[in-house]
Amino acid sequence: MTLDNATRERILAEVDAGFDAQLAFTQELVRHPSLRTEESSAQDLMFAAMQDRGLEMDRWELDVDDIASHEGAGIIDVSYDDVDNVVGTYHPALEAGRSLILNGHIDVVPTGPESEWATSPWDSRIDGDWLTGRGSGDMKAGLVANLFAFDAIRRAGLSPAGRIHFQSVVEEECTGNGSLAALQRGYTAEAVVIPEPEEDMLVRANVGVIWFRLRVSGKPTHPREMSSGFNAIDAAHHVVGRLRELEDRWNAQKDSHRYFEDLEHPINFNLGKIAGGDWASSVPAWCEVDLRVALYPGVTAEDAWTEIIDHLATVVDDEHGHPITARTTRNGFFAEGYVLDEGSDAENVLRGTHREVFGDELRTFTTPGYLDGRVFTQYAGIPALVYGPISEAIHGYDERVSIESVRRITKSIALFIAEWCGITEARAESDPGRSHSS
Ligand SMILES: [Zn+2]
């Protein structure tokens, strides 16, 4: 750490001083149900929060054609009308330090039956150390931590010496197109921090993800002559079973993928959604299943997709020898995984700030889930530090995030900003956030 003790203590004390307001703002944000394509009101809140801090604001609707031109783009089957990214930029008076992107996603995943939640997913209640609600952990607490970490530095009378882009992006949970659009718009920096819920650890490696829909056709008949029909739902079940052979094969290869050797089952094929048939008294004519498959970093999405298609081509009939007609359509992620190279300056700085706040060494791990970190590492060569708080039940019922963990992560990010960007004493007469807005 290059910060002197007194400066460090000032920053940490300001995180504590602002923490009640930080929690209140997180709760407010969680109360906005920013499900896919419904992020607008939550983005209004983020926009206003960044603008209040004197950041140079940029808000734009995602452009389907621009995104589609990128090799890492996800396939879209929704409208991007009113689906906006928000970026606020802090410019130091004199840009002398390293630049930084503080990224987070505003979109949240579906709640499932709300009756299964202890209280509404949008109540955003606090219970002991837990802040509950859909999106609380994944990842509104982190998104808000980025801003409040910055506040602490400024309230301490300091100004970061490097440019900082605060990004609130959409589409992380389904395509990754939000972060991709921000990159396409020209936002780059020398490091990015993404406070996803990672249990106070740093992500070393993760998988890529492909989404696709499988549509199986049947032959509808009256059930009285069922044997002359062909049941598309049964057939889809059979096809998915055969696809598991590929999942097994890929998992068996884990030893040849560094950082994945110790995971029990790194590659998960998830049958996430199913629809089919028209009613109970016809042999179903159709069935659609939505699948999410994972791929190792170093395997291109294109290559993984080819393997999937080739494997499906071997599924020509069901267990009774009836021919199967299946069609695949990609409808979301087409994303590669990434590995965060060991020993980067950014990681070393984070190791120092984590040790300072947590009192122990930063641990790294491999996650079998998608992360937007791949956008920065794969397409811009920017080290992505995906590092964030302890959570429970993300994508499940009663999702929640640990409040004390959020506090410590915020402190670590605040120190990271100061160490990475460098700091200067803010001049009393000027508002550092407004010192250079164009
Ligand atoms: Zn997330």
Side-chain angles (χ1 to χ4, degrees):
M1 304 275 290
T2 57
L3 293 176
D4 62 68
N5 276 335
T7 307
R8 201 160 59 221
E9 291 309 319
R10 265 157 75 194
I11 294 171
L12 296 178
E14 288 299 341
V15 172
D16 285 326
F19 198 66
D20 285 347
Q22 178 176 344
L23 276 188
F25 184 70
T26 307
Q27 286 181 284
E28 191 183 352
L29 194 60
V30 172
R31 291 189 186 110
H32 289 257
S34 50
L35 296 156
R36 190 182 191 191
T37 74
E38 296 166 24
E39 302 92 344
S40 202
S41 73
Q43 288 294 56
D44 289 346
L45 198 61
M46 289 305 295
F47 186 97
M50 292 185 201
Q51 194 170 43
D52 283 350
R53 287 160 172 81
L55 304 177
E56 179 187 299
M57 295 310 301
D58 186 12
R59 179 175 184 159
W60 75 98
E61 191 176 279
L62 267 59
D63 184 294
V64 177
D65 295 330
D66 279 356
I67 291 163
S69 68
H70 196 286
E71 60 173 307
I75 306 298
I76 302 139
D77 61 359
V78 298
S79 162
Y80 276 166
D81 289 351
D82 295 324
V83 174
D84 298 345
N85 273 345
V86 171
V87 176
T89 297
Y90 160 82
H91 293 282
L94 179 70
E95 196 172 328
R98 290 178 286 205
S99 56
L100 178 63
I101 291 170
L102 294 171
N103 169 287
H105 66 84
I106 193 77
D107 56 315
V108 301
V109 300
T111 59
E114 292 195 14
S115 58
E116 296 296 320
W117 288 66
T119 58
S120 162
W122 317 113
D123 272 0
S124 191
R125 73 199 147 81
I126 287 177
D127 188 5
D129 184 46
W130 297 102
L131 194 163
T132 302
R134 173 55 85 233
S136 55
D138 189 9
M139 61 166 287
K140 288 174 174 174
L143 188 59
V144 171
N146 284 341
L147 270 184
F148 279 75
F150 176 69
D151 288 350
I153 293 173
R154 303 219 299 181
R155 270 201 316 275
L158 304 164
S159 298
R163 171 174 41 91
I164 305 173
H165 302 295
F166 294 86
Q167 301 186 336
S168 177
V169 302
V170 292
E171 288 280 295
E172 193 274 345
E173 299 284 6
C174 44
T175 59
N177 286 348
S179 282
L180 207 56
L183 182 64
Q184 284 183 308
R185 202 165 171 88
Y187 290 108
T188 61
E190 288 157 276
V192 55
V193 172
I194 310 178
E196 289 271 16
E198 306 297 359
E199 321 316 310
D200 295 341
M201 294 188 287
L202 173 68
V203 175
R204 172 65 66 209
N206 77 335
V207 294
V209 167
I210 295 174
W211 275 19
F212 67 97
R213 176 168 294 165
L214 190 69
R215 185 182 171 98
V216 178
S217 300
K219 183 184 170 205
T221 58
H222 192 289
R224 69 183 181 182
E225 55 216 11
M226 199 166 82
S227 60
S228 67
F230 183 65
N231 186 316
I233 296 176
D234 287 344
H237 187 247
H238 177 79
V239 176
V240 171
R242 292 286 315 276
L243 206 52
R244 299 266 174 223
E245 298 165 359
L246 186 63
E247 183 185 29
D248 290 345
R249 194 193 308 158
W250 287 358
N251 277 300
Q253 296 164 354
K254 66 179 182 175
D255 286 347
S256 50
H257 293 274
R258 191 166 176 218
Y259 304 116
F260 288 82
E261 308 91 334
D262 297 334
L263 269 64
E264 199 181 314
H265 198 267
I267 300 295
N268 294 316
F269 287 12
N270 188 51
L271 198 175
K273 190 178 168 187
I274 184 163
D278 300 306
W279 72 338
S281 279
S282 298
V283 171
W286 63 282
C287 181
E288 287 182 347
V289 296
D290 286 6
L291 289 134
R292 171 269 195 205
V293 304
L295 44 142
Y296 294 107
V299 177
T300 66
E302 209 55 72
D303 284 350
W305 182 238
T306 302
E307 248 190 280
I308 291 163
I309 294 297
D310 288 351
H311 188 74
L312 285 172
T314 68
V315 187
V316 292
D317 52 20
D318 69 4
E319 62 270 46
H320 312 294
H322 294 129
I324 291 178
T325 313
R327 203 174 70 230
T328 52
T329 326
R330 289 198 276 116
N331 62 349
F333 285 119
F334 196 62
E336 291 166 28
Y338 74 90
V339 170
L340 173 69
D341 291 334
E342 293 185 29
S344 65
D345 288 349
E347 179 176 337
N348 288 338
V349 169
L350 187 68
R351 285 187 175 280
T353 67
H354 181 89
R355 192 182 306 120
E356 183 64 33
V357 173
F358 286 80
D360 58 14
E361 290 302 313
L362 176 62
R363 285 175 298 149
T364 60
F365 76 117
T366 298
T367 173
Y370 170 86
L371 293 167
D372 266 357
R374 63 104 191 187
V375 169
F376 302 93
T377 53
Q378 300 293 101
Y379 305 119
I382 303 171
L385 305 173
V386 180
Y387 164 76
I390 292 170
S391 69
E392 286 183 354
I394 60 168
H395 297 220
Y397 299 135
D398 301 320
E399 173 180 351
R400 54 194 197 159
V401 65
S402 159
I403 290 168
E404 282 311 306
S405 171
V406 171
R407 183 197 298 267
R408 286 191 288 269
I409 289 288
T410 308
K411 288 179 173 178
S412 185
I413 294 173
L415 294 181
F416 182 88
I417 294 169
E419 287 278 345
W420 182 255
C421 300
I423 40 164
T424 55
E425 294 286 335
R427 280 185 223 98
E429 70 273 18
S430 75
D431 176 352
R434 296 181 199 275
S435 58
H436 176 85
S437 50
S438 47

